[in-house]
Structures are given as structure tokens and as C-alpha cells.
Amino acid sequence: MKTNVSVIHRDFTPAEVAEITSVSVALQRDWRRRKILPQRKTEGWSKFSLSDVIEIYVLKFFSDAGFSVKEVREYSVMAILPVQVALKDMPNAVAFEGDPIGDRLKESILLSMTTDAGVAANSRYLVIAHGADIPFEKRIGRFSTLSAVAAWLERQALEGFTAVDFDMIAASIAASVDGPLIRVECKAVAE
């Protein structure tokens, strides 16, 4: 017996995104108009992917810390994979549906969600160093430990930083949503 597996990330309405990220629907529209968020692909109701929600969350975090969303936009995608990896460990964030599967296969599927993310799986923080005299692309990085952040800051001779914790984002998003964020559909098929 073989099992086909489909991993499906939930979509969100603008109102749900506003509740999760504290970015109002009006601000979402403004960010779309300014090309900070992707344009609608079709007419009618817009939906956001889980990746979009993570990116909006990060944009809002750094915007609240005083950074320009236009400046941070290009780098906010660095949080998507690590947060998705962290979500697999959050209660009720992942649901297995369809045909029953064993715990070993479930663990294998969860592990593949982590290893598919590659280096992102080892990242825990997205950091922007403070320092106006340094080009922005040299002031941002993704790190696995705070000691790695400290070493980076010391090498760069920077005076401070603002960091977002990927586990914190995952926990916040998971706690803000009823039901799973990621569904794993399993279907047993004869070989």
C-alpha cells in the first residue's frame, strides 16, 4: 500500500489577515496600491496565502520598529520558510486528514516539511542592524542563535539591532487562527 500526500496551506481573507497581523484592511489596500503587497490576480474577493500572512506580519513588526516597509519588503520573505518550519511544532497548526497513517509516516512528513526548507530550518531570527551609514542589504541577516547575532554585530561594529523571532511569529499566528494552518491530506492507494 502506498500513501499519496498533499500539503495544503490555508488561505485568509483580508479581515482575517487584519486580525492576525494588526494590519487593517485599509492599510492592506494602501500597501497593494504602493506595490508593497502583491496585486490581486483576479477580480472579486482577494485571498492571502500563509506566506503572505507571514510576510505582512514581519512588515508590520519592522514598520512598528521604525523601518520603511518599502525598504524591508525585499527582505521580509526571509521569514517565510523558517516560520512555516516553526509552525509544524505549534499545537493544532498542522492537521492530518484522510486515510489514517502511522506516527512514523507523520513524523517523516513533518521532517520533510523542515528539510525542504534547507538553511531556513536552522534560522530563528531575522535581524536588522541599526546604522544609517551602512547599506541596508548589509544590515539584515537571518541567524540561528543570539550569539551569532552578537558576533555579527561585533564584526560590523554596529550599535544595535531589531530582531524578530520566527518561533514567536509562528506561535502568534497559530494562536490567532481557529483550525489548522496546514492540512496534510493522506490517501492510501494500491500499488
Side-chain angles (χ1 to χ4, degrees), residues 105-163:
L105 183 53
K106 282 183 182 179
E107 250 337 283
S108 176
I109 292 167
L110 291 173
L111 182 62
S112 74
M113 290 168 64
T114 301
T115 55
D116 287 348
V119 71
N122 296 322
S123 298
R124 182 160 180 202
Y125 305 100
L126 182 62
V127 177
I128 300 177
H130 300 210
D133 297 341
I134 301 162
F136 194 81
E137 64 274 2
K138 294 187 183 219
R139 295 192 295 133
I140 193 159
R142 196 167 52 189
F143 302 91
S144 58
T145 65
L146 287 176
S147 60
V149 173
W152 177 66
L153 290 170
E154 193 172 301
R155 279 193 312 275
Q156 303 278 351
L158 300 170
E159 66 270 4
F161 66 93
T162 301

Side-chain angles (χ1 to χ4, degrees), residues 1-12:
M1 189 64 66
K2 180 179 164 187
T3 303
N4 287 340
V5 175
S6 297
V7 178
I8 304 160
H9 292 203
R10 180 176 168 181
D11 286 332
F12 300 87

